[in-house]
Amino acid sequence: MAATHCPYCSLQCGIHLTPALELTGREDFPVNRGGLCMKGVRAAELITHPERLTTPLARDRPGLPLRPVTWDDALDRVTAAITRAQAAHGRDAVGCFGGGGLTNEKAYQFGKFARVALRTAMIDYNGRFCMSSAAAAANRAFGIDRGLPFPLSDVADADVVLLVGSNPADTMPPAMRWFEAGRERGARHIVVDPRETATAKPAHRHLQPVPGTDLALANGMLHIAIRDGLVDHDYIERRTTGWDAVRRSVRADWPDRTERVTGVPVADLTATVHDLATARNAMILTARGAEQHADGTATATAWINLGLALGLPGRGRGSGVATVTGQGNGQGGREHGQKADQLPGYRPLADPAARAHVAGVWGIDPDELPAPGVSAYELLDRLGTDGGVRVLLLAASNPVVSAPDARHVAERLGALDLLVVTDFFLSESARLADVVLPTTQFAEEEGTLTNLEGRVVRRRRVLDPPPGVRSELQIWHELAARLGRGKHFPTDPRVVYDELRRASAGGVADYGGISWERLDAGEELFWPCPDETHPGSPRLFTDTFPTPDGRARFVAVAHRSVTERLDRRYPYLLTTGRSRTHYQSGTQTRRNETLLAAEPVAYAELHPLLAAEIGVADGDALRLTTRRGSVVATARLTDGIRPDTVFLPFHWARVNDLTSARLDPTSRMPEFKSCAVALAPVRARSTVPDLEENRR
Ligand code: SF4
């Protein structure tokens, strides 16, 4: 039996797993203390799933079906296509697209593979669609991006918690133990969400803003804090810069104006600000509901401004402003070089000193490193075009389901000279591939991941992978060897991790002191941890911020109506998110019989008033159409959602055909969380195949 971790979300719940695939929650892991959600309990069932890929597949010509091939054949095809594309179109004609579920070692090695083996600038990953706005805002304000700058258990010590666009009761239920512990001792919880989610139901107050108006909400609250004398001037003076500009910038965000823009009553705005300001300890937690907008960075910044004005970050246990990470290794995956502009340790790729340090660890000349590339959607948008990527290596990601304007993305993938997908199931994206390379699952590999708290955890191997399956580390070594750079790419995850530690040393995300030995000895280690005598950093900001002057930075941001225009043709607001049952693009959870039976097809939540207006009843087929695409889902009526808004979980194919690819100017985060939609009942029997198509 091995002590390891659930492969799904950023909570990284501790589990015990036996070679017979018996899975139980680990009481000794301090984050979940034995608790697991319905996804995690069933995670091991996929290891022996009959649809598991166990041999490489390749397509001999476009239009022909994928067929089993040998590893040598598959890797030779990939190498030949890389060589051809780079000879004809330059190094950037080959691109890499990674995933936030990859271990730290794989995320690190994939970034290195792009820069050292391919020497391409074209690498980014699906975490761009998840955390990039929160990361950009936190880097700007605090000088560091660590989702929670404190252990999750601190939530239990907060007397007031404001959750903005976050629904942990559905997305990470074991986390709720800390919220419940707080409520049991009298803490007040306030939820900001257009829907009355499972998190909002037991909260003391629920604010239901119009999707896309969170920035106005935060600025309106800051205005009230100033008006009512609730600002912590001593904290602002001692620990921050930029206050005057922010103070002036919210002068016109009057409460009645904020109510008009957001739909949140002035009384609720005022009561929330007073709750936060008068609590002994208070916390503001944001998540994708606030961040996945074309102004996501500014919105996350507005909540940070409010928290700084109230003196919350670094005040002590139970206080702070933070963001809740989503994907399993969403945190580690963005620290080690998968992002277009980053080297390991959160070092900027454009910084000469950073280039010199990492090139030294990699044994190459710094001039060999490419310049920063483009963000995830921009990379996908240009696939197969003149000057764009011609050969794409897609690792553990399914953008045909998870990218915005997904139909367009599928078309671009189809325009490539060669699409290579590494995965353990034939995902919707893998079905479009020319070469599919089958990979190990979590129980078959060693490694590390970094959870939402910045805590580094060990993934442990409990059984051998099926014959014919390889780890990504082996695959990238084989490809690099064929490209003449194999010596740079070890396959042992422990060796890769030790190299990662050296590459990150001295950087913002410093793993230098977090050895496997310390992790295996059961030490709880949070980065930064610069040397092996360092205890790690569970709580940040207590004395200083990692900015040049040690102060947090206020940044003035203003609400602009960035949400897609509503008109007579598209009169309602669509917002998307996750359900309790499925995980991300559903490649895994839609293959689990129990989870699929619980939520077999896409559903759309809407208010009975809206349902009556458009003439649908609960359980009817409902067509949702935006300026980009159309999909049919089952109508689910609830009076817990705003009557002008419809909610659609994104785990099913074609849902993201609807969403908008407008990007945040700073983070390049797409606008997943709000767009204009038309709704219509579906009566004709011919539409049933739409629903069936959405099943998997
Ligand atoms: Fe796994 Fe997340 Fe569920 Fe925990 S909450 S069991 S990490 S999916």
Side-chain angles (χ1 to χ4, degrees):
M1 184 167 74
T4 185
H5 295 269
C6 171
Y8 291 126
C9 84
S10 65
L11 211 54
Q12 283 298 293
C13 290
I15 58 171
H16 286 299
L17 187 62
T18 70
L21 300 180
E22 291 154 343
L23 186 157
T24 49
R26 263 171 64 192
E27 301 283 347
D28 66 331
F29 188 62
V31 179
N32 61 311
R33 294 202 179 157
L36 296 173
C37 76
M38 63 194 295
K39 300 180 287 282
V41 162
R42 294 171 178 83
E45 294 173 18
L46 295 177
I47 291 167
T48 52
H49 194 282
E51 291 178 34
R52 176 89 190 265
L53 296 173
T54 55
T55 184
L57 305 171
R59 202 184 301 280
D60 290 326
R61 277 204 317 277
L64 291 183
L66 288 164
R67 67 171 178 86
V69 295
T70 65
W71 272 99
D72 276 341
D73 185 359
L75 295 171
D76 286 346
R77 289 175 191 234
V78 177
T79 310
I82 290 171
T83 307
R84 238 183 353 255
Q86 291 195 320
H89 306 287
R91 292 196 182 106
D92 290 350
V94 179
C96 297
F97 194 98
L102 294 172
T103 61
N104 288 328
E105 296 73 26
K106 294 180 188 177
Y108 168 84
Q109 198 79 313
F110 202 36
K112 182 179 171 185
F113 180 81
R115 276 77 181 231
V116 176
L118 301 174
R119 298 185 62 188
T120 178
M122 294 297 129
I123 177 167
D124 213 60
Y125 81 127
N126 64 18
R128 179 75 68 172
F129 300 155
C130 182
M131 290 301 300
S132 55
S133 288
N139 275 324
R140 198 162 63 179
F142 303 133
I144 195 169
D145 156 38
R146 201 180 88 186
L148 298 185
F150 43 74
L152 182 66
S153 55
D154 278 16
V155 167
D157 294 315
D159 295 328
V160 173
V161 180
L162 179 67
L163 275 153
V164 187
S166 176
N167 181 19
D170 276 334
T171 57
M172 46 177 68
M176 294 311 288
R177 68 164 50 243
W178 305 112
F179 291 88
E180 283 154 13
R183 275 203 298 272
E184 276 164 21
R185 51 160 207 87
R188 293 177 69 76
H189 292 171
I190 304 154
V191 170
V192 177
D193 200 306
R195 305 162 57 217
E196 189 190 38
T197 60
T199 308
K201 278 195 176 79
H204 296 86
R205 190 176 304 122
H206 177 204
L207 315 183
Q208 285 188 281
V210 177
T213 64
D214 288 343
L215 199 165
L217 192 69
N219 277 359
M221 286 193 195
L222 181 55
H223 178 106
I224 291 170
I226 296 166
R227 181 198 68 183
D228 294 356
L230 300 171
V231 165
D232 186 339
H233 289 289
D234 175 54
Y235 178 93
I236 290 170
E237 177 69 26
R238 284 187 298 109
R239 304 214 50 190
T240 70
T241 60
W243 167 241
D244 278 347
V246 168
R247 182 179 53 77
R248 285 194 303 272
S249 74
V250 298
R251 269 186 193 148
D253 292 296
W254 299 102
D256 55 349
R257 183 179 174 210
T258 303
E259 177 178 321
R260 261 198 321 278
V261 172
T262 66
V264 177
V266 170
D268 284 344
L269 293 168
T270 306
T272 300
V273 178
H274 281 254
D275 282 344
L276 285 168
T278 57
R280 186 176 49 99
N281 294 314
M283 211 176 253
I284 299 173
L285 299 176
T286 66
R288 304 305 83 71
E291 299 153 11
Q292 287 180 320
H293 296 280
D295 62 354
T297 305
T299 300
T301 298
W303 290 110
I304 290 172
N305 286 342
L306 178 64
L308 287 173
L310 299 177
L312 305 185
R315 186 198 282 175
R317 206 178 278 247
S319 286
V321 183
T323 186
V324 182
T325 304
Q327 291 194 81
N329 200 27
Q331 182 69 54
R334 67 184 188 269
E335 296 162 1
H336 300 305
Q338 279 191 97
K339 274 177 94 172
D341 56 351
Q342 271 183 14
L343 289 169
Y346 235 130
R347 286 187 158 90
L349 181 53
D351 173 13
R355 293 169 70 89
H357 172 82
V358 174
V361 175
W362 288 352
I364 61 169
D365 189 309
D367 290 341
E368 288 185 46
L369 292 171
V374 298
S375 74
Y377 185 79
E378 292 163 295
L379 192 158
L380 295 172
D381 184 38
R382 296 177 200 170
L383 295 177
T385 60
D386 280 349
V389 164
R390 318 287 312 189
V391 173
L392 184 70
L393 277 59
L394 190 63
S397 187
N398 187 13
V400 168
V401 176
S402 62
D405 199 359
R407 192 171 57 171
H408 172 68
V409 168
E411 284 169 10
R412 296 319 323 151
L413 289 169
L416 286 164
D417 297 350
L418 196 86
L419 173 62
V420 185
V421 173
T422 47
D423 210 326
F424 40 80
F425 287 121
L426 200 61
S427 68
E428 287 79 359
S429 301
R431 283 184 213 162
L432 300 181
D434 303 288
V435 177
V436 180
L437 305 174
T439 56
T440 45
Q441 287 201 52
F442 76 104
E444 301 157 351
E445 59 191 23
E446 297 280 340
T448 65
L449 296 95
T450 305
N451 83 344
L452 76 173
E453 310 163 286
R455 179 197 302 263
V456 184
V457 301
R458 280 273 285 110
R459 172 175 283 186
R460 293 185 174 91
R461 176 177 175 138
V462 295
L463 74 170
D464 293 335
V469 164
R470 294 185 184 176
S471 142
E472 288 91 336
L473 296 181
Q474 292 172 286
I475 293 169
W476 297 327
H477 169 82
E478 291 280 344
L479 288 174
R482 283 166 167 78
L483 295 166
R485 293 227 134 176
K487 70 170 186 178
H488 293 279
F489 294 91
T491 57
D492 181 341
R494 187 172 186 141
V495 173
V496 176
Y497 179 73
D498 280 339
E499 187 185 301
L500 176 162
R501 288 171 58 203
R502 291 197 303 280
S504 75
V508 172
D510 190 335
Y511 282 53
I514 306 179
S515 66
W516 276 34
E517 289 80 4
R518 294 181 76 184
L519 293 172
D520 283 347
E523 281 194 68
E524 291 186 38
L525 293 168
F526 301 67
W527 68 263
C529 179
D531 63 66
E532 292 195 31
T533 62
H534 192 283
S537 309
R539 288 186 185 78
L540 304 175
F541 314 151
T542 48
D543 302 314
T544 186
F545 293 94
T547 53
D549 60 3
R551 290 168 174 267
R553 292 174 284 229
F554 281 101
V555 179
V557 288
H559 170 71
R560 292 184 186 83
S561 208
V562 296
T563 298
E564 190 176 53
R565 181 174 44 84
L566 307 190
D567 59 18
R568 279 174 45 195
R569 199 156 165 221
Y570 302 101
Y572 308 109
L573 277 163
L574 171 68
T575 191
T576 62
R578 285 168 56 187
S579 79
R580 172 178 290 241
T581 319
H582 290 292
Y583 181 68
Q584 304 299 59
S585 76
T587 302
Q588 297 171 76
T589 52
R590 282 186 281 122
R591 284 182 166 81
N592 181 283
E593 276 179 25
T594 311
L595 300 177
L596 187 65
E599 293 288 8
V601 293
Y603 62 88
E605 276 185 17
L606 70 166
H607 196 281
L609 290 173
L610 176 53
E613 188 175 308
I614 60 172
V616 299
D618 194 55
D620 282 358
L622 171 69
R623 182 166 290 283
L624 301 95
T625 305
T626 70
R627 294 183 173 96
R628 292 154 293 280
S630 186
V631 68
V632 173
T634 306
R636 187 176 289 180
L637 270 52
T638 167
D639 56 12
I641 190 168
R642 290 180 58 89
D644 56 2
T645 300
V646 58
F647 168 79
L648 197 56
F650 62 76
H651 312 291
W652 287 271
R654 299 186 52 203
V655 167
N656 268 317
D657 288 3
L658 304 183
T659 53
S660 161
R662 286 201 307 156
L663 303 181
D664 179 282
T666 305
S667 67
R668 317 309 282 164
M669 164 72 84
E671 188 181 40
F672 287 106
K673 281 290 187 281
S674 56
C675 68
V677 67
L679 304 173
V682 179
R683 310 264 182 240
R685 289 184 63 81
S686 64
T687 57
V688 171
D690 252 15
L691 286 167
E692 292 303 317
E693 184 184 335
N694 245 328
R695 187 175 288 273
R696 171 73 57 80

